[in-house]
Amino acid sequence: MLVRLALSILPLVGTALSQAGGPYTDPDNGITFWGYTEPVHGVTYGYVFPPLGGTEFIGEIVAPIATKWAGAVPGGNMLQNLLLVAWPNGNSIVRSARIATDYLQPTAMSGPVLTDLPSTKVNSTHWKWVYRCQNCISWSTPTGTKSIPVDAFGVPAWAWSSVAVDSPSNPQSTFLEHNDFGFFGLDYAAAHVSASLYNNWAAGGTGGGTITPTTTSTSTTSQPPVTATPYDYIVVGSGPGGLVTADRLSEAGKKVLLLERGGPSTWETGGRYGPEWTNGKNLTKFDVPGLFESMFSDGNPFWWCKDVNVFAGCLMGGGTSINGALYWISPYSDFAPTTGWPVSWGNHAPYTAKMKARLPSTDAPSTDGKRYLMQSFDVAAALLKGQGYTQRTINDEPDSKDHSYGYSAYNFQGGMRAGPVATYFRTAKARKNFTYKQYVYVQNVVRNGPAITGVKTNDTSLGPNGIIPLTAKGRVVLSAGAFGSPRILFRSGIGPTDMINVVKNNAEAAPNLPPQAQWINLPVGYNVSDNPSINLVFTHPSIDAYDNWAPIWTNPRSADASQYLKNRSGVFAQGSPRLNFWRAYSGSDGKTRWMQGTVRPGAASVTTSYPYNASQIFTITVYLSTGITSRGRIGIDAAMTARPLIGPWFTDPIDKAVLIQGINDLISNIKSVSGLTLITPDNKTTITNYVNNYDPGSLNSNHWVGSNTIGVAGKAVVDENAKVFNTNNLFVVDASIIPQMPMSNPHGMIMSMAEQAVTKILALSGGP
Ligand code: 6FA
């Protein structure tokens, strides 16, 4: 992937969540709010509305003093939404209404009128902001009117920071991006009180609020008993790992159930979300390669997992439906014993060949065979040639990476995103012994000691209490991704004790944990790595920055849109990258580390003192891959959100030193390419300082691997057959079992890995 956005600016996204708020009465003011106390930071966000038809509401934020600022977004998504942000300054609260037009600093929002209500206060332990927000229900945006869904169920968001704002006395102070954010479900339709009560509170009055017990539908309606169908294999998650696995298991005649928590993606899978300019053409955002950059600027990004604190795709295809689609054939080192793989995995060639037979790569995805928007390729190639690099067709020579560059290779077919969805899933779903269920969230596996008997889901139509059983010798394969699979293991009583204890303290998850005597202590979540990556932004007079990809959704260049609609050719038949390169380095510890680069027109952000022409910018993202020694840890918090606990980037300073050397080498001959200028960093910042001061969250490449690493008992989570240690019939096949960063963007390697894993699972005795 190319690094587009930082962890710290992960968009606030939302649909229904498991954490739902409800009514409570604040003892300080007697106001009944509908809200939620977020368990990690202990901040309460509350709302109450006048009868329907009103244009305002009363809200509050009650925060422990460690909260340096907090934000409430009643509309949910960060973009183009009312954001109420507040912080303490001495004994007073400073606050403002803001709006974000991009995933950048939110600015003042005109329209809302804020009035602080009397119970607003700061004391030694907490601060509380109680406010009236007038003109706050609907507002105009460039794409139309937006509103809080006051007559329906909503998904308000919150944002939180432990870092003080830059200028605490100034309501419009700038601040760093939130350290944390989240969502909760809230029935706004229920959060209304009578006009007289509301008007009393809005005028600063207190009391009078009583919580009307809400009627629940838990009891009386009788429902037909649910019978569950048992399966030979239940595969959890439809990312590249899960799709390859489910297809091959069903091809072998097994009775397979594939469960996916999200919904459809491409048109073929039932997705229907596309821009207006593709109307009537049976195309979605997930079909058109050139819409990739719009994944990060959409006001309704329903595809991101809402309970994973980094980017992860929660829909059919997982990451492969929303990613940059760079698709690389593995070199030997991707599966070499020296990179942590069991010796039995060393020969990946037959499995990679099976994958290529199903999904060949292309570096000329436009259906007319021409390449478009290639100026950044030409400029970067000139730079690299001066450093002794050779141009190759990268996927034809996967083992010749050192000092190589070439056209970016993709998983596209016929000018459309293909990946495992248009290949493996297509064949699997045609089989009678294969069943696919979407919008099914697997909470945990059901087990009796080492024996897994089924999975527990949120879908009570699939089995009593949502439990789907296995056949007598059946097996479960977790393919829920580097964050999703560890969470399912924690919730099944498998992992480090500290994480299982987090589950034990969660009211919803705890009842499904096995007794403590059956907990299985494994290093789930450790050994995590991801490519640390640094963006360098350049300008060159030849470059067409393609308007920085900004108009592609609403107002694309009309000739390019027409050309694509006509025959799937042109700029829109390709993602944004144009060139990739690799180089090997030897670190001061004698270990070889690989540097990879990705070149694309445009830039996610520019920080420079130079005047520059924005239409001529392009980015080289430089990452470190195979050989990195840094490792982090991922886990869950009290709300069951999966998140990095220790960032995996540059925990070993030698990794950082190698990347700094690589960047210095990359720009060493910049003067030899006429007109080429490095603008970020500019000439006031050395590369060393630039890397040292890089926002750690922005180092994230979204290529997470290793959280359920394969290896030997005592050090690993799964054995050489991808079976979870100390279980009889639980397997993991996804990015999480990969012990070391592969050479390149990983989904091709993950699919080859899954081909090999599923072959081993089928060959392992004791199964169905
Ligand atoms: N990899 C590449 O090779 N090339 C790229 O260009 C590239 N770009 C990106 C990128 O631009 C972004 C923004 C991201 C987030 C990733 C990129 N990657 C790229 C990385 C690549 O997509 C991932 O490495 C790859 O998809 C990981 O494959 P896995 O099979 O390990 O896992 P996924 O996350 O893809 O799929 C997991 C699935 O399980 C999801 O569909 C999820 O909804 C589902 N799931 C999770 N928990 C579940 C649960 N409890 N119940 C049911 N389903 C669940």
Side-chain angles (χ1 to χ4, degrees):
M1 121 97 188
L2 25 147
V3 177
R4 283 290 285 105
L5 287 170
L7 166 72
S8 52
I9 47 173
L10 186 66
L12 296 181
V13 289
T15 55
L17 290 185
S18 57
Q19 304 99 330
Y24 65 93
T25 300
D26 182 328
D28 271 359
N29 48 36
I31 299 177
T32 296
F33 290 98
W34 276 255
Y36 174 73
T37 301
E38 167 282 300
V40 177
H41 311 292
V43 181
T44 301
Y45 303 87
Y47 302 97
V48 61
F49 297 84
L52 283 175
T55 58
E56 61 173 271
F57 64 88
I58 297 170
E60 73 172 5
I61 300 176
V62 187
I65 208 74
T67 303
K68 297 300 185 195
W69 64 262
V73 190
N77 300 323
M78 178 170 162
L79 289 188
Q80 305 290 6
N81 252 323
L82 169 67
L83 163 64
L84 296 148
V85 62
W87 56 84
N89 180 35
N91 288 328
S92 19
I93 295 293
V94 178
R95 77 313 188 254
S96 54
R98 309 273 186 116
I99 191 161
T101 52
D102 202 339
Y103 294 113
L104 297 170
Q105 183 75 223
T107 51
M109 183 174 186
S110 59
V113 177
L114 294 175
T115 310
D116 297 341
L117 296 180
S119 48
T120 295
K121 65 180 180 189
V122 181
N123 65 25
S124 59
T125 62
H126 283 75
W127 56 268
K128 175 189 283 201
W129 177 39
V130 189
Y131 59 93
R132 178 184 187 187
C133 192
Q134 294 168 274
N135 295 332
C136 289
I137 302 300
S138 296
W139 54 93
S140 300
T141 76
T143 51
T145 303
K146 278 197 121 169
S147 313
I148 301 171
V150 287
D151 57 351
F153 196 87
V155 187
W158 54 266
W160 181 91
S161 182
S162 59
V163 181
V165 304
D166 299 324
S167 169
S169 60
N170 176 3
Q172 297 304 333
S173 172
T174 51
F175 42 81
L176 290 176
E177 287 89 1
H178 44 82
N179 305 128
D180 203 358
F181 72 93
F183 304 87
F184 55 98
L186 198 62
D187 188 4
Y188 281 128
H192 296 261
V193 293
S194 68
S196 58
L197 196 50
Y198 182 89
N199 290 339
N200 175 39
W201 292 337
T206 59
T210 46
I211 299 169
T212 319
T214 42
T215 41
T216 57
S217 56
T218 48
S219 52
T220 48
T221 8
S222 68
Q223 291 181 338
V226 181
T227 31
T229 308
Y231 291 87
D232 293 340
Y233 281 91
I234 299 175
V235 180
V236 182
S238 71
L243 288 179
V244 172
T245 304
D247 181 49
R248 295 299 184 192
L249 291 171
S250 60
E251 183 186 46
K254 310 299 176 191
K255 188 172 174 185
V256 176
L257 173 66
L258 174 64
L259 298 174
E260 167 55 47
R261 63 179 285 185
S265 51
T266 56
W267 188 276
E268 182 186 9
T269 64
R272 294 295 178 264
Y273 185 62
E276 269 179 29
W277 65 267
T278 64
N279 276 355
K281 302 291 183 187
N282 295 4
L283 291 167
T284 69
K285 186 183 194 86
F286 314 103
D287 289 293
V288 182
L291 288 174
F292 165 65
E293 294 282 339
S294 76
M295 298 291 172
F296 307 95
S297 55
D298 197 303
N300 176 29
F302 58 86
W303 48 90
W304 302 122
C305 307
K306 315 304 182 302
D307 52 7
V308 177
N309 213 23
V310 296
F311 285 124
C314 270
L315 73 175
M316 161 49 65
T320 60
S321 290
I322 50 82
N323 70 16
L326 288 167
Y327 176 51
W328 305 110
I329 303 303
S330 282
Y332 168 76
S333 63
D334 274 5
F335 292 95
T338 46
T339 54
W341 285 96
V343 174
S344 57
W345 280 74
N347 181 15
H348 74 90
Y351 308 103
T352 301
K354 284 176 91 174
M355 176 191 81
K356 277 167 70 179
R358 297 295 298 278
L359 180 60
S361 73
T362 176
D363 65 11
S366 173
T367 53
D368 59 8
K370 295 182 190 159
R371 296 192 174 87
Y372 292 82
L373 204 67
M374 295 307 287
Q375 304 88 349
S376 59
F377 178 95
D378 295 335
V379 175
L383 186 71
L384 294 168
K385 268 189 237 160
Q387 294 162 34
Y389 282 71
T390 304
Q391 181 172 353
R392 298 178 196 280
T393 301
I394 303 296
N395 278 343
D396 286 355
E397 301 177 73
D399 283 290
S400 301
K401 285 287 195 305
D402 192 16
H403 281 88
S404 290
Y405 73 91
Y407 298 117
S408 300
Y410 295 97
N411 67 24
F412 303 148
Q413 290 180 349
M416 289 160 69
R417 188 185 285 268
V421 175
T423 51
Y424 290 88
F425 183 57
R426 195 179 283 173
T427 44
K429 74 180 181 210
R431 296 190 187 103
K432 287 204 168 58
N433 55 326
F434 174 85
T435 305
Y436 174 61
K437 297 280 180 194
Q438 58 185 357
Y439 297 119
V440 178
Y441 187 95
V442 172
Q443 295 162 358
N444 53 279
V445 298
V446 183
R447 67 185 176 91
N448 183 8
I452 314 303
T453 56
V455 296
K456 173 146 171 56
T457 75
N458 63 345
D459 190 338
T460 49
S461 72
L462 297 176
N465 293 321
I467 293 174
I468 308 171
L470 290 170
T471 53
K473 293 177 173 177
R475 291 166 165 173
V476 170
V477 181
L478 301 182
S479 298
F483 288 82
S485 290
R487 175 170 38 203
I488 294 171
L489 291 174
F490 299 144
R491 294 186 65 163
S492 309
I494 301 172
T497 308
D498 59 352
M499 288 294 107
I500 306 178
N501 275 328
V502 175
V503 179
K504 196 177 158 191
N505 290 327
N506 179 286
E508 190 196 333
N512 298 315
L513 271 180
Q516 189 149 1
Q518 292 190 16
W519 291 6
I520 299 172
N521 188 357
L522 291 172
V524 178
Y526 287 93
N527 190 54
V528 166
S529 47
D530 173 49
N531 307 116
S533 50
I534 299 279
N535 282 332
L536 307 172
V537 185
F538 300 82
T539 57
H540 188 272
S542 71
I543 297 287
D544 173 359
Y546 212 62
D547 313 307
N548 213 6
W549 306 93
I552 52 175
W553 185 257
T554 47
N555 189 19
R557 294 187 190 177
S558 56
D560 292 345
S562 309
Q563 182 182 358
Y564 184 76
L565 294 179
K566 191 168 157 228
N567 60 5
R568 310 284 179 267
S569 68
V571 176
F572 278 97
Q574 184 165 355
S576 51
R578 290 297 183 272
L579 179 149
N580 289 86
F581 62 90
W582 287 262
R583 179 169 174 177
Y585 279 93
S586 184
S588 59
D589 54 4
K591 293 180 178 156
T592 301
R593 290 168 175 79
W594 287 82
M595 180 179 84
Q596 186 195 341
T598 300
V599 179
R600 67 185 179 96
S605 69
V606 177
T607 310
T608 192
S609 58
Y610 292 138
Y612 67 96
N613 184 340
S615 64
Q616 296 175 351
I617 53 177
F618 74 101
T619 301
I620 302 183
T621 302
V622 189
Y623 349 55
L624 215 54
S625 66
T626 302
I628 57 173
T629 40
S630 296
R631 291 292 184 275
R633 184 185 179 196
I634 66 170
I636 48 172
D637 63 26
M640 300 289 102
T641 297
R643 56 176 64 232
L645 302 176
I646 300 170
W649 317 280
F650 297 151
T651 58
D652 182 346
I654 301 177
D655 284 345
K656 186 191 273 189
V658 170
L659 194 56
I660 289 172
Q661 184 187 343
I663 295 173
N664 277 318
D665 288 347
L666 180 66
I667 58 171
S668 59
N669 61 331
I670 190 166
K671 289 200 169 63
S672 69
V673 182
S674 173
L676 180 60
T677 311
L678 176 64
I679 59 167
T680 301
D682 58 23
N683 66 352
K684 295 187 179 153
T685 316
T686 63
I687 293 297
T688 303
N689 283 345
Y690 184 58
V691 174
N692 278 337
N693 295 324
Y694 215 72
D695 173 3
S698 298
L699 293 168
N700 182 358
S701 295
N702 300 301
H703 293 165
W704 301 82
V705 298
S707 46
N708 293 311
T709 191
I710 199 166
V712 294
K715 291 190 172 166
V717 177
V718 300
D719 67 16
E720 63 182 325
N721 293 307
K723 185 165 74 66
V724 177
F725 281 108
N726 301 325
T727 70
N728 298 343
N729 52 345
L730 179 59
F731 297 80
V732 184
V733 182
D734 59 24
S736 69
I737 72 168
I738 296 168
Q740 158 80 272
M741 285 319 302
M743 179 66 67
S744 318
N745 316 63
H747 86 267
M749 185 271 184
I750 291 169
M751 289 168 62
S752 168
M753 176 278 294
E755 285 277 14
Q756 186 163 182
V758 71
T759 306
K760 288 176 167 32
I761 293 170
L762 280 166
L764 186 67
S765 61

